[in-house]
């Protein structure tokens, strides 16, 4: 029996939504030159035991059997432009167009027009991926376009929700652009940190925690003093901040790994900071962990969730229920923490 629909949650999440049947390939519909049906490519299962890579905005794993599209009530499509709050909801929910830049097919899903990139692929299931560019659908050669459309319709709630979330995320990111200069603010451990250029300070940066009275007067409770002249170039400021944040990240992540590894009964061997645009972390069975240094923008509970997530992969190398049970044994509220990963606007680097 062929595997059915396979979803990719968000950018690189390998979790699968429950299947929707597609017909088996008709006999003789396979490529003629082939030396027989090939085994499916197993991109999600690398030969070296490595855990699935965890994307920057990982979506909650659907409950097995419950259905990704039904695990939450479908959110209505959102208007692309902010609408006056006085407009009744029914009117505010205007048809929305989602357009992939390389779209080659268009479909009406509920009230929205979705232009998506359609690809034929050597695979045994219809795959949906919602990324920053929009929806990408890939299907084996033997599945007809009518069947593809039917599969899209059957998962329309999931697809529209993901497209809406992806759009909101891009909007948040655009809003989070930092002007790298004296007085700029960026999130650090979940709270605003103000940059202060102060030539007398060490070039490496010095964190200053203000007293409550000072904090009231200044508007933030923490400042980063950078030993740079007030007229320093933006790139200079940004590089100095990044270097400081990466040092902080390395020290903090090491401490958190040491803290949680015994609780999970695992040993980690090596920590590398990553800078991937789309992944929070990854783990390999040999005990090496990669964590995105930009996690340092988030509050400690969120960082701890990602640390525990990667350590849990040293025990379970997939996102199966057993994996989530392992995570929950240390972080019972992992779903809420995970949600925050997508709700905070990160500075652009
Ligand atoms: Zn994972």
């Amino acid at each position: 029996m062929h595997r059915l629909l396979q979803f990719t949650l968000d950018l690189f999440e390998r979790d699968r939504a429950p299947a929707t049947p597609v017909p088996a390939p008709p006999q003789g519909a396979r490529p003629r030159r082939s030396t027989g049906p090939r085994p499916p490519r197993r991109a999600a299962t690398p030969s070296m035991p490595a855990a699935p890579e965890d994307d920057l905005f990982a979506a909650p794993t659907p409950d097995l059997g419950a259905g990704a599209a039904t695990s939450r009530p479908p959110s209505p499509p959102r208007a692309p432009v902010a609408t006056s709050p006085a407009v009744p909801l029914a009117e505010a929910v205007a048809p929305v167009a989602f357009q992939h830049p390389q779209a080659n097919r268009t479909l009406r899903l509920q009230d929205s027009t979705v232009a998506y990139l359609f690809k034929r692929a050597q695979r045994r299931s219809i795959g949906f991926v919602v990324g920053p560019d929009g929806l990408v659908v890939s299907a084996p050669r033997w599945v007809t376009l009518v069947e593809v459309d039917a599969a899209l319709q059957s998962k329309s709630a999931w697809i529209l929700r993901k497209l809406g979330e992806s759009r909101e995320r891009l909007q948040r990111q655009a809003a989070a652009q930092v002007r790298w200069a004296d007085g700029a603010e960026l999130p650090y451990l979940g709270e605003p940190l103000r940059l202060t250029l102060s030539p007398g300070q060490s070039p490496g940066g010095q964190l200053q925690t203000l007293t409550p009275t000072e904090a009231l007067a200044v508007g933030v409770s923490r400042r980063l003093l950078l030993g740079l002249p007030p007229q320093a170039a933006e790139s200079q400021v940004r590089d100095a901040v990044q270097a400081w944040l990466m040092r902080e990240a390395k020290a903090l992540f090491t401490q958190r790994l040491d803290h949680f590894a015994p609780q999970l009964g695992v040993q980690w061997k090596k920590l590398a900071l990553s800078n991937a645009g789309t992944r929070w972390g990854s783990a390999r069975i040999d005990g090496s962990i990669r964590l995105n240094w930009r996690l340092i923008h988030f509050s400690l509970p969120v960082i701890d969730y990602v640390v525990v997530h990667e350590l849990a992969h040293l025990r379970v190398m997939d996102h199966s229920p057993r994996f989530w049970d392992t995570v929950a044994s240390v972080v019972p509220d992992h779903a809420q923490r995970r949600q925050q990963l997508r709700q905070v606007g990160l500075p652009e680097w």
Side-chain angles (χ1 to χ4, degrees):
M1 185 66 190
H2 281 272
R3 182 138 45 193
L4 323 166
L5 284 186
Q6 178 176 319
F7 282 80
T8 304
L9 293 185
D10 274 15
L11 302 181
F12 294 94
E13 184 88 337
R14 304 299 190 195
D15 299 321
R16 282 168 197 155
T20 294
V22 296
Q27 221 54 30
R30 296 179 185 287
R32 253 165 267 149
R33 273 186 301 123
S34 85
T35 53
R38 285 194 203 172
R41 270 201 247 159
R42 308 189 59 143
T45 318
S47 52
M48 165 81 188
E53 285 157 332
D54 296 308
D55 78 67
L56 277 182
F57 303 99
T61 311
D63 297 321
L64 288 179
T70 53
S71 58
R72 274 198 259 163
S75 48
R78 290 164 206 254
V81 185
T83 321
S84 155
V87 178
L89 186 64
E91 286 173 44
V93 182
V96 181
F98 293 101
Q99 174 85 35
H100 191 288
Q102 280 111 45
N104 51 8
R105 281 182 59 75
T106 303
L107 188 70
R108 192 91 180 143
L109 288 181
Q110 297 179 16
D111 287 331
S112 302
T113 307
V114 178
Y116 62 96
L117 172 60
F118 178 71
K119 297 190 287 196
R120 291 291 182 183
Q122 286 261 352
R123 54 183 298 145
R124 298 207 297 182
S125 59
I126 302 176
F128 301 110
V129 180
V130 174
D133 283 341
L135 175 64
V136 180
V137 179
S138 39
R141 221 152 279 152
W142 45 267
V143 173
T144 67
L145 291 175
V146 173
E147 287 160 350
V148 170
D149 285 353
L152 285 164
Q153 292 292 355
S154 77
K155 298 295 178 189
S156 60
W158 183 89
I159 290 167
L160 290 172
R161 176 161 59 83
K162 289 287 151 199
L163 285 169
E165 287 170 0
S166 176
R167 173 173 286 167
E168 283 174 21
R169 181 183 307 146
L170 290 173
Q171 286 168 347
R172 277 200 304 274
Q173 282 171 344
Q177 290 200 359
V178 176
R179 210 185 128 253
W180 298 104
D182 187 68
E185 285 179 22
L186 67 156
Y188 168 70
L189 294 178
E191 284 181 39
L193 175 69
R194 185 171 300 167
L195 305 183
T196 303
L197 303 191
S198 121
Q201 289 295 323
S202 86
Q206 173 77 45
L207 184 68
Q208 182 191 37
T209 305
L210 305 178
T211 65
T213 319
E214 289 170 330
L216 268 179
V218 177
V220 291
S221 59
R222 283 186 289 198
R223 288 196 293 206
L224 176 60
L225 307 179
L226 288 169
L228 290 173
Q231 68 278 13
E234 282 206 43
S235 60
Q236 220 182 339
V237 176
R238 188 192 60 220
D239 291 351
V241 174
Q242 183 175 340
W244 183 81
L245 286 174
M246 288 179 82
R247 277 197 303 276
E248 293 291 307
K250 182 109 189 196
L252 178 68
F253 298 168
T254 302
Q255 195 253 329
R256 300 321 281 165
L257 285 165
D258 281 339
H259 177 74
F260 286 112
Q263 296 183 36
L264 286 156
V266 296
Q267 283 192 314
W268 66 281
K269 293 272 160 26
K270 199 176 111 193
L271 167 66
L273 292 185
S274 77
N275 193 23
T278 52
R279 275 163 221 148
W280 286 126
S282 59
R284 299 183 81 88
I285 197 74
D286 66 3
S288 49
I289 305 268
R290 289 173 76 83
L291 292 169
N292 195 310
W293 67 266
R294 287 182 288 165
L295 283 166
I296 197 77
H297 292 308
F298 290 94
S299 66
L300 191 59
V302 177
I303 295 171
D304 281 349
Y305 156 66
V306 179
V307 167
V308 167
H309 182 121
E310 299 311 336
L311 286 173
H313 276 315
L314 300 184
R315 275 174 60 179
V316 187
M317 275 285 157
D318 55 32
H319 289 139
S320 60
R322 195 163 71 85
F323 169 79
W324 290 110
D325 287 348
T326 310
V327 173
S329 71
V330 177
V331 184
D333 62 339
H334 61 84
Q336 290 94 303
R337 299 190 191 194
R338 193 177 190 193
Q339 198 62 23
Q340 289 178 45
L341 279 172
R342 53 213 333 234
Q343 284 167 351
V344 176
L346 293 186
E348 292 233 323
W349 287 94

